[in-house]
Amino acid sequence: MNKEKRTEIFTRLRDENPEPTTELNYSNPFELLIAVILSAQATDVGVNKATDKLYPVANTPEAIYGLGVNGLKEYIKTIGLFNSKAENVIKTCKILIDKHNSQVPDNREDLEALPGVGRKTANVVLNTAFRQPAMAVDTHIFRVSNRTGIAPGKNVVEVEKRLMRLVPKDFLMDAHHWLILHGRYTCTARKPKCGACMIEDLCEFRQKRDYQ
């Protein structure tokens, strides 16, 4: 795919949604960090249902740490892998309190040192909370990047690096959100809605279907 096509693709995505953001509910970097940790192999809707009950009670490292593992589990037990996530969140809160003055770090090294935080989670926090150019490649972005030809790659890190290099700079800050939303609602896994897709004429997917 050439630069002109990519530019037009992101121009259309931006025109439709000028200020995209995550669908996770949060009001500060700490709430976002915890929500993203909880969202691994879970839906944003499911995480929001849990955090909508949790955050009014505890939304600081000290408050969640005070709940303890078992107390936290009561709020997140509807989320997949809640046992290990509860352990990781409590450990993360302790590190934030002890090493970071209860603040979420704004750099990759410190973020990835937190339990339950990998490269993808760090990228989400860096991009969404701190407005740093970063590309959190999940299954949606991986699929869209390969299927459309925007930035094909064999694994998530390869796709991430290609997107960071190939997405025009004017769109880099928000490209992560546009691609996720496009994959979640239009370029879906089993039946991509090619017939209702605003970039169908630019997409290089060879097995297009007129799904709506």
Side-chain angles (χ1 to χ4, degrees):
M1 180 176 288
N2 60 42
K3 182 179 179 180
E4 288 72 24
K5 271 191 179 182
R6 289 193 189 91
T7 300
E8 179 60 22
I9 284 172
F10 285 104
T11 297
R12 293 183 190 181
L13 293 172
R14 181 179 63 185
D15 288 347
E16 185 195 41
N17 187 4
E19 297 181 357
T21 189
T22 178
E23 293 186 315
L24 291 168
N25 295 338
Y26 76 100
S27 60
N28 57 54
F30 176 71
E31 288 187 359
L32 177 65
L33 172 64
I34 300 306
V36 180
I37 292 174
L38 296 177
S39 72
Q41 299 183 46
T43 66
D44 288 0
V45 172
V47 172
N48 288 339
K49 287 181 179 179
T51 57
D52 285 350
K53 295 178 181 178
L54 170 65
Y55 289 158
V57 175
N59 72 336
T60 65
E62 290 83 359
I64 289 184
Y65 185 74
L67 292 175
V69 172
N70 290 331
L72 178 57
K73 284 181 183 179
E74 288 301 308
Y75 290 95
I76 67 170
K77 60 187 177 182
T78 55
I79 300 173
L81 308 176
F82 72 93
N83 286 306
S84 60
K85 288 176 181 178
E87 297 274 358
N88 285 334
V89 167
I90 294 299
K91 290 176 183 176
T92 284
C93 289
K94 180 64 172 171
I95 293 172
L96 292 178
I97 294 166
D98 291 346
K99 295 186 177 181
H100 300 289
N101 196 30
S102 297
Q103 300 299 307
V104 176
D106 62 356
N107 66 86
R108 179 183 303 282
E109 182 179 2
D110 286 336
L111 282 170
E112 290 189 12
L114 298 172
V117 177
R119 185 178 185 88
K120 185 176 74 173
T121 296
N123 281 339
V124 173
V125 174
L126 290 172
N127 179 254
T128 305
F130 299 112
R131 299 302 289 159
Q132 297 180 22
M135 201 69 63
V137 179
D138 66 352
T139 56
H140 297 302
I141 292 183
F142 185 78
R143 179 176 65 254
V144 171
S145 297
N146 276 284
R147 185 183 276 167
T148 62
I150 290 173
K154 295 178 180 178
N155 55 62
V156 293
V157 174
E158 190 173 312
V159 169
E160 177 190 333
K161 290 180 178 179
R162 287 191 175 180
L163 284 168
M164 292 299 292
R165 177 167 54 88
L166 295 172
V167 173
K169 289 185 179 180
D170 288 350
F171 304 99
L172 195 55
M173 190 66 74
D174 293 316
H176 153 250
H177 294 302
W178 286 318
L179 292 173
I180 282 181
L181 294 171
H182 191 67
R184 185 172 288 167
Y185 297 111
T186 303
C187 196
T188 50
R190 293 186 180 181
K191 286 189 175 183
K193 301 172 184 176
C194 302
C197 177
M198 71 173 67
I199 62 169
E200 189 271 341
D201 58 314
L202 303 167
C203 171
E204 297 182 356
F205 183 44
R206 293 181 179 179
Q207 291 84 42
K208 292 177 185 175
R209 298 288 186 271
D210 192 25
Y211 297 129
Q212 297 288 332

